[in-house]
């Protein structure tokens, strides 16, 4: 075992400790501010995003007291659902038509030289799991995106590869979680510090007005829909190609074994 392997193991262990601590902080904040969903579960995603987004503890407390996260316009929701649906369909089609040794929606423990790929749709995109590889696909159909949301996804799967598909911008961005572990640790540590500061203070105030419930307005629905559909048909094959190229190393090894 090399020194780099040991350093990697140390980083993995430290990140896990930080994330365990952050999880406990989120539980306590949920209890203090009554931040639970309709099923009685702590709204940890909302809490983590807020702790990372705002540097002012007063602003964080105000957002928690509002108890709301920004809602999406129904048009954006439909656009997102269509993009994710087509992405899954095109992944299955491309794998089938190119006779790749992949079994979409299969089990993780494949056999007979088949690399099974489990695709799990999420609220924001999808996750692909194939042997020791994980690919998180974040689909953004609007103009904005959040680094903090990306970091939160990588908290749960720190060794995964993140693919950010900005549909209307025609952009596909790839981030490797393994290369961002130090950044993830810094973000987790900062969130823990802010969370503990709020938990340990009797009253946290400030003079700021955080835009915690700001909603995006659609000035021209016609233009939005046309731009989205045109961008979708132009970009779908690009993002599918990027995802398949990420899995290409495993595919190549299986094809080599077939010869």
């Amino acid at each position: 075992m090399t020194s780099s392997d040991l350093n990697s193991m140390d980083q993995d262990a430290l990140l896990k400790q930080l994330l365990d601590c952050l999880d406990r902080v989120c539980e306590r904040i949920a209890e203090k501010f009554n931040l639970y969903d309709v099923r009685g579960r702590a709204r940890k995603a909302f809490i983590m995003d807020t702790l990372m987004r705002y540097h002012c503890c007063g602003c964080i407390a105000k957002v928690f007291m509002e108890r709301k996260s920004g809602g999406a316009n129904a048009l954006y929701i439909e656009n997102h659902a269509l993009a994710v649906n087509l992405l899954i369909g095109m992944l299955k089609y491309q794998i089938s038509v190119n006779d790749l040794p992949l079994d979409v929606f299969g089990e993780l423990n494949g056999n007979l030289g088949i690399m099974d790929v489990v695709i799990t749709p999420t609220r924001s995109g999808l996750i692909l799991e194939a042997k020791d590889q994980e690919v998180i696909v974040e689909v953004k159909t609007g103009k904005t995106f959040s680094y903090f949301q990306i970091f939160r996804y990588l908290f749960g799967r720190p060794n995964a590869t993140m693919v950010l598909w900005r549909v209307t911008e025609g952009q596909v961005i790839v981030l490797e979680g393994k290369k961002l572990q130090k950044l993830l640790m810094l973000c987790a540590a900062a969130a823990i510090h802010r969370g503990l500061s709020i938990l340990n203070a009797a009253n946290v105030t400030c003079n700021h007005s955080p835009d915690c419930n700001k909603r995006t307005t659609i000035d021209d629905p016609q233009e939005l829909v046309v731009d989205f559909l045109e961008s979708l048909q132009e970009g779908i094959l690009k993002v599918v190609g990027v995802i398949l190229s990420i899995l290409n190393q495993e595919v190549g090894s299986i094809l080599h074994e077939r010869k």
Side-chain angles (χ1 to χ4, degrees):
M1 183 176 294
T2 65
S3 59
S4 61
D5 292 330
L6 291 174
N7 290 335
S8 177
M9 291 173 61
D10 292 342
Q11 285 190 14
D12 289 342
L14 178 56
L15 179 58
K16 185 179 186 304
Q17 290 177 2
L18 287 170
L19 295 179
D20 287 343
C21 181
L22 179 57
D23 187 74
R24 293 192 295 271
V25 168
C26 289
E27 290 279 4
R28 291 176 59 192
I29 287 177
E31 183 178 357
K32 180 173 181 176
F33 292 93
N34 192 29
L35 294 171
Y36 297 97
D37 62 17
V38 293
R39 297 182 180 179
R41 300 172 300 185
R43 295 172 59 191
K44 294 180 182 179
F46 170 59
I47 295 170
M48 285 186 189
D49 284 359
T50 305
L51 289 174
M52 288 189 288
R53 179 177 298 279
Y54 298 95
H55 63 83
C56 172
C57 291
C59 289
I60 294 172
K62 288 177 181 178
V63 174
F64 288 157
M65 286 186 285
E66 286 288 335
R67 301 182 184 179
K68 297 178 182 178
S69 57
N73 186 285
L75 192 53
Y76 285 119
I77 294 174
E78 284 299 309
N79 286 352
H80 187 273
L82 176 61
V84 173
N85 185 293
L86 286 180
L87 178 55
I88 293 175
M90 286 303 300
L91 279 169
K92 294 180 68 176
Y93 173 76
Q94 289 294 324
I95 288 171
S96 174
V97 75
N98 289 294
D99 195 28
L100 297 177
L102 303 171
D103 182 19
V104 181
F105 291 116
E107 298 296 330
L108 280 176
N109 52 342
N111 52 46
L112 300 178
I114 300 296
M115 183 177 75
D116 297 335
V117 178
V118 175
I119 300 181
T120 306
T122 66
R123 292 183 62 182
S124 60
L126 53 93
I127 296 173
L128 298 92
E129 298 173 278
K131 285 192 175 179
D132 296 329
Q133 283 191 312
E134 292 179 311
V135 181
I136 304 171
V137 183
E138 170 75 357
V139 179
K140 287 296 184 183
T141 57
K143 299 291 185 181
T144 64
F145 77 97
S146 168
Y147 277 120
F148 307 112
Q149 188 179 42
I150 291 174
F151 295 158
R152 174 164 50 83
Y153 292 152
L154 290 175
F155 282 166
R157 300 170 183 268
N159 293 320
T161 299
M162 166 70 73
V163 176
L164 174 63
W165 180 24
R166 304 186 69 201
V167 180
T168 55
E169 301 298 310
Q171 299 171 348
V172 179
I173 301 169
V174 179
L175 300 171
E176 295 183 38
K178 292 180 180 179
K179 295 182 179 180
L180 298 176
Q181 283 204 344
K182 292 181 180 178
L183 181 59
L184 295 179
M185 286 189 283
L186 289 173
C187 290
I192 291 169
H193 176 72
R194 292 165 187 162
L196 291 175
S197 296
I198 293 172
L199 288 169
N200 294 330
N203 186 29
V204 182
T205 61
C206 70
N207 296 321
H208 307 139
S209 300
D211 56 345
C212 52
N213 290 318
K214 183 178 180 180
R215 293 178 63 92
T216 302
T217 58
I218 300 176
D219 297 324
D220 189 343
Q222 172 71 29
E223 182 181 4
L224 186 147
V225 169
V226 171
D227 286 349
F228 168 73
L229 293 178
E230 290 180 352
S231 299
L232 181 62
Q233 68 178 357
E234 292 174 3
I236 186 72
L237 290 181
K238 178 181 178 180
V239 69
V240 168
V242 169
I243 294 170
L244 292 181
S245 70
I246 293 172
L247 299 174
N248 186 57
Q249 183 176 358
E250 290 286 351
V251 172
S253 64
I254 292 175
L255 291 175
H256 180 74
E257 292 173 1
R258 281 185 169 184
K259 295 179 179 179

